[in-house]
Amino acid sequence: MHNLPRDKSDTLLLLSACAMVLLPHFVHLSWWTSLICGGLLLWRAWITLRGQRLPPMWLLLPLAALTMGAVYLDYRTLLGRDAGVAMLALLLTFKLLEMRARRDLFVVLLLSLFLLLTTFFYSQTMLSMLWMIATLVLILTAQLSFQYTGTVPPLRQRLRLGGMILAMALPLTLILFLLFPRIQGPLWGLPGDAHGGRTGLSDSMAPGNIAQLALSDEIAFRVKFFDAPPAPAKLYWRGAVLNDFDGRTWTQGPTSRAAADTAPHVQAVTQALSTINPALTVHQQVTMEANGQRWLFALETPQLAPTVEGIPVRLTADHQIRAARAIDERVRYDVMSNLRPAPSEQITPAGMRQALALPNNFNPRTQEFAADLRNKWPDDAALVNAVLNFFRHEKFSYTLEPPLLGRDSVDDFLFSSRAGFCEHYASSFVVLMRAAGIAARVVTGYQGGEINPVDGMMTVRQSDAHAWAEVWLPPRGWVRVDPTAAVAPSRIETQLSNLLPRSFFGNLLGAAPGQANWWSGLNDSMALLRANWEALSNGWNQWVLNYTPARQMGLMRWLGFDELDWRTLVILMLAIGSVAAGSVTLPLLLARNKNKPLDTVYSALCAQMARRGMARNKHEGPGTYARRLCASDSPLSPSVKMAVTRFMALYEALQYGADYGPDNKPPAPLLAQLKLLLSQCR
């Protein structure tokens, strides 16, 4: 931009700022919206570089109207989150083609700031915050560039000034963040599309559902253990219990009993178990990402329903932790789990019928096989072991890419393909149990997790999604059985990454998982870098995004304000905010009113000449003023004229001929010489 005229360089700087505003939105905008916005930006840049005229209004208005109509056809509304952001993005780029006056410039800047704010609708990560700060600095720099008259400082100096302006706002921003009265939920109502696009386990299970998550590195939740974490084989994070089967898909059945936290005898039994062997009781603090579902995760078996701020939660009879509504934001909760099996309970007749139900006219070979097993193994526990040995000793394989299954999916899996993921094994095992007369059900959740070496938190990812079975074995009650462990024990004892490639730089150079090569060292370094970044992101989530009303009140109590309502909080915020704003603006005002040393000396000379009847005209610079003072008809003596000439020459050299750094203060000897010449002018 150094060789471009000022108007072109300033416009291109503004276009760069707008591109940074729009770039994060291209991820979620419709492809045609992103294409039009990018095309309009390039069109405006081409017009600027070529020096062409802006398009006329009779062309822009129909194009803008057509795009607004396309937004309505695409989203079926103009008021939703996604539709509103798409409209703002299009309006911003069209306004750039209609920027003819100074007023239009400020409209573009304000639209950019508002559109930048909408980035938080989609992402509130630390990376998006850093991108927003960089974009703000560029927007402020573009605004400053249009404000300059005369000589414009270099781009680096303008960027530094923009960063300084943003830094001045940080103290007030921090005070507003800490003290602004918080309410549960957003400050404005969001439409239903605000919570779309969640990744994770669903409320049903069919062949291939969980396998789709196996290569996802997205974080499902993080766990802080208050004691040593359990062994990997005990890390079963219980989620949904699936009872109903239609021949292919498992879904949740109706709740058979009331919430367990309303049954005192269940609490008493659980507390008794933890008293007998407290080493089996695990205290966890779970920070769960939004998943759009109603259940919370905890190690098997949770003892009581946790407390989640703003969301009623209950513990059901089948040990699911269910929320009263879908989890559409990050939540944190403490939960106690007992690693021993749940205490024996009596199953109701309705519950038994539900746990034995199978659809008619499905999987006939499985039915015959189960009948043969029952004749051979009349004892339920022995039959369960027989089926596990069947999985263990036959040629079953654990794979993410099993062949497609037909109508009788369990028959095809058990007797033909014999290749599948955890949902194939859990589903076929439960069908076999029910066909043999043993009550059984499917449980979905997560298995495993990895400890972050930086902050000690356990990270459970979507790739750890898992499905297992539970069978009813009197007098023990419901007993967990994981048929996947019979086929791929490494999946349970270690991590899925030991069996399958992970998407984080996995398989980039064709190396098999665990294979040592020259890439492994770099891969380890990248893994450590990821661990540091995830620990930093977790701190951001815990201390910034999870700054809830309860934590705000806790901070106020820590500061000594025990009883604090929102009115008092507002007064406190205004008082501290005024002090912070004053501490920033007052030094700037004082520095603005303080004359520079050179200006002080020059003003003294001008005042002295004015007392002699030769005041400086407003349009006169130092050289022109000196020539008038030293003219032949001037009443000044020759020695004073000589001093004035030398004073003006030195002043011009110091004021316009050298750069003395940020403080713009000339060397002391030269300033002293200038003051000496001033004294000679008297």
Side-chain angles (χ1 to χ4, degrees):
M1 296 185 184
H2 296 288
N3 299 325
L4 292 175
R6 178 183 168 183
D7 58 338
K8 291 186 178 182
S9 62
D10 291 348
T11 303
L12 291 177
L13 185 63
L14 178 63
L15 292 178
S16 302
C18 293
M20 289 188 66
V21 171
L22 290 168
L23 192 60
H25 292 290
F26 286 165
V27 178
H28 54 80
L29 287 176
S30 301
W31 65 269
W32 64 267
T33 308
S34 302
L35 189 62
I36 289 177
C37 290
L40 292 177
L41 276 176
L42 292 176
W43 187 12
R44 185 63 174 90
W46 175 259
I47 290 174
T48 301
L49 291 173
R50 301 289 295 179
Q52 298 176 350
R53 298 182 62 183
L54 294 175
M57 291 298 297
W58 62 262
L59 176 61
L60 289 179
L61 283 178
L63 289 177
L66 285 175
T67 55
M68 295 303 107
V71 169
Y72 180 81
L73 292 177
D74 195 3
Y75 297 99
R76 298 299 177 184
T77 181
L78 294 177
L79 301 178
R81 178 197 66 175
D82 294 338
V85 171
M87 287 177 57
L88 281 175
L90 290 168
L91 289 175
L92 174 62
T93 50
F94 273 112
K95 188 63 182 176
L96 288 170
L97 291 168
E98 196 253 338
M99 195 172 61
R100 293 180 170 84
R102 191 178 186 85
R103 175 182 59 85
D104 298 325
L105 166 67
F106 289 105
V107 171
V108 169
L109 291 171
L110 291 176
L111 269 176
S112 300
L113 292 173
F114 193 81
L115 188 59
L116 182 64
L117 183 64
T118 63
T119 306
F120 285 140
F121 284 160
Y122 302 94
S123 174
Q124 297 180 14
T125 64
M126 190 169 54
L127 191 61
S128 62
M129 182 269 296
L130 295 175
W131 180 268
M132 178 171 287
I133 290 176
T135 307
L136 274 174
V137 170
L138 196 60
I139 292 176
L140 291 173
T141 303
Q143 182 180 3
L144 289 170
S145 300
F146 283 98
Q147 298 291 334
Y148 281 108
T149 57
T151 305
V152 180
L155 178 60
R156 180 178 298 179
Q157 186 174 342
R158 282 177 282 158
L159 286 171
R160 184 167 59 249
L161 181 57
M164 290 175 58
I165 293 175
L166 187 61
M168 291 176 187
L170 289 181
L172 187 59
T173 302
L174 181 61
I175 292 171
L176 290 175
F177 172 78
L178 293 175
L179 299 181
F180 190 87
R182 291 177 173 261
I183 61 174
Q184 191 65 36
L187 293 176
W188 51 84
L190 292 180
D193 65 351
H195 304 305
R198 302 298 186 191
T199 301
L201 290 171
S202 67
D203 55 358
S204 63
M205 187 191 78
N209 280 12
I210 298 180
Q212 294 175 358
L213 300 174
L215 294 181
S216 172
D217 274 322
E218 289 192 35
I219 294 175
F221 52 89
R222 294 181 175 92
V223 185
K224 176 184 177 182
F225 290 102
F226 291 87
D227 297 306
K234 296 184 179 296
L235 295 175
Y236 280 85
W237 305 95
R238 190 179 186 87
V241 177
L242 310 179
N243 282 296
D244 290 353
F245 184 56
D246 63 2
R248 182 174 184 84
T249 302
W250 288 89
T251 55
Q252 288 189 299
T255 304
S256 59
R257 290 181 55 184
D261 52 5
T262 63
H265 69 281
V266 176
Q267 294 184 25
V269 172
T270 309
Q271 291 171 359
L273 285 174
S274 61
T275 303
I276 293 172
N277 193 349
L280 295 175
T281 302
V282 181
H283 183 191
Q284 317 130 63
Q285 185 179 82
V286 181
T287 303
M288 193 177 81
E289 301 295 322
N291 57 19
Q293 302 296 336
R294 292 181 55 187
W295 55 79
L296 308 178
F297 296 95
L299 282 178
E300 289 191 332
T301 305
Q303 298 184 31
L304 294 174
T307 300
V308 179
E309 184 179 355
I311 306 177
V313 177
R314 66 190 182 97
L315 182 67
T316 64
D318 50 9
H319 302 285
Q320 297 181 79
I321 304 177
R322 291 184 62 84
R325 63 171 176 84
I327 306 299
D328 290 320
E329 69 275 354
R330 185 180 291 106
V331 295
R332 188 173 67 174
Y333 53 92
D334 285 35
V335 62
M336 299 290 291
S337 298
N338 197 293
L339 299 183
R340 291 187 61 174
S344 177
E345 303 175 46
Q346 293 298 321
I347 189 171
T348 63
M352 180 63 74
R353 287 193 299 271
Q354 186 183 39
L356 289 172
L358 286 174
N360 295 324
N361 302 319
F362 278 90
N363 305 302
R365 294 184 65 185
T366 302
Q367 300 275 358
E368 295 176 4
F369 182 55
D372 293 340
L373 289 174
R374 172 53 78 187
N375 292 331
K376 188 175 181 180
W377 306 98
D379 180 70
D380 290 351
L383 193 148
V384 169
N385 290 328
V387 174
L388 292 178
N389 286 328
F390 171 71
F391 282 129
R392 189 177 293 115
H393 297 136
E394 295 296 328
K395 294 182 179 180
F396 285 91
S397 61
Y398 188 61
T399 177
L400 276 178
E401 299 178 352
L404 296 177
L405 303 177
R407 177 181 179 274
D408 297 319
S409 57
V410 178
D411 281 358
D412 291 347
F413 172 70
L414 289 177
F415 306 107
S416 297
S417 67
R418 295 191 170 183
F421 205 57
C422 60
E423 64 265 37
H424 297 79
Y425 290 98
S427 175
S428 61
F429 180 84
V430 173
V431 170
L432 268 174
M433 292 297 104
R434 291 187 176 188
I438 301 176
R441 60 195 183 190
V442 173
V443 182
T444 59
Y446 296 87
Q447 201 288 320
E450 56 183 348
I451 296 291
N452 190 315
V454 179
D455 59 3
M457 299 277 286
M458 175 170 284
T459 303
V460 180
R461 305 181 186 277
Q462 297 297 346
S463 57
D464 297 316
H466 194 54
W468 58 94
E470 286 184 340
V471 295
W472 178 261
L473 297 177
R476 299 166 60 189
W478 288 105
V479 178
R480 181 180 70 222
V481 180
D482 191 351
T484 303
V487 179
S490 297
R491 167 64 183 90
I492 310 302
E493 295 296 335
T494 56
Q495 287 290 312
L496 182 64
S497 57
N498 292 339
L499 298 175
L500 300 170
R502 297 288 285 269
S503 61
F504 188 83
F505 291 100
N507 228 24
L508 184 63
L509 298 180
Q515 179 180 345
N517 55 19
W518 66 272
W519 174 251
S520 60
L522 181 58
N523 198 30
D524 292 341
S525 300
M526 297 305 298
L528 182 60
L529 179 62
R530 182 179 69 169
N532 281 274
W533 174 254
E534 289 181 350
L536 200 60
S537 299
N538 182 56
W540 169 264
N541 296 337
Q542 298 288 343
W543 298 104
V544 178
L545 301 185
N546 200 42
Y547 188 65
T548 59
R551 300 193 73 175
Q552 186 181 52
M553 290 298 104
L555 175 63
M556 294 300 104
R557 285 191 294 270
W558 183 77
L559 293 175
F561 300 95
D562 293 330
E563 299 295 333
L564 197 67
D565 57 9
W566 69 269
R567 294 179 181 86
T568 309
L569 192 61
V570 169
I571 295 174
L572 183 64
M573 177 191 68
L574 292 177
I576 300 178
S578 300
V579 173
S583 64
V584 172
T585 56
L586 189 60
L588 294 176
L589 293 175
L590 293 176
R592 182 179 181 181
N593 296 328
K594 184 178 179 181
N595 290 330
K596 297 178 181 179
L598 283 176
D599 296 336
T600 302
V601 178
Y602 182 65
S603 298
L605 175 70
C606 294
Q608 185 181 132
M609 295 298 112
R611 287 193 296 269
R612 298 188 181 189
M614 293 177 290
R616 183 178 67 87
N617 298 320
K618 292 184 177 181
H619 66 276
E620 286 183 315
T624 305
Y625 189 31
R627 285 191 291 273
R628 182 162 67 86
L629 291 175
C630 299
S632 57
D633 57 348
S634 172
L636 299 179
S637 64
S639 61
V640 173
K641 290 182 180 180
M642 179 64 68
V644 168
T645 302
R646 294 175 60 191
F647 178 93
M648 291 298 188
L650 181 58
Y651 172 76
E652 285 184 321
L654 294 177
Q655 182 74 301
Y656 307 112
D659 184 9
Y660 301 109
D663 56 355
N664 199 26
K665 185 176 181 181
L670 296 179
L671 188 61
Q673 183 179 355
L674 192 66
K675 292 179 180 179
L676 178 63
L677 292 173
L678 175 64
S679 64
Q680 295 175 4
C681 294
R682 299 191 181 98

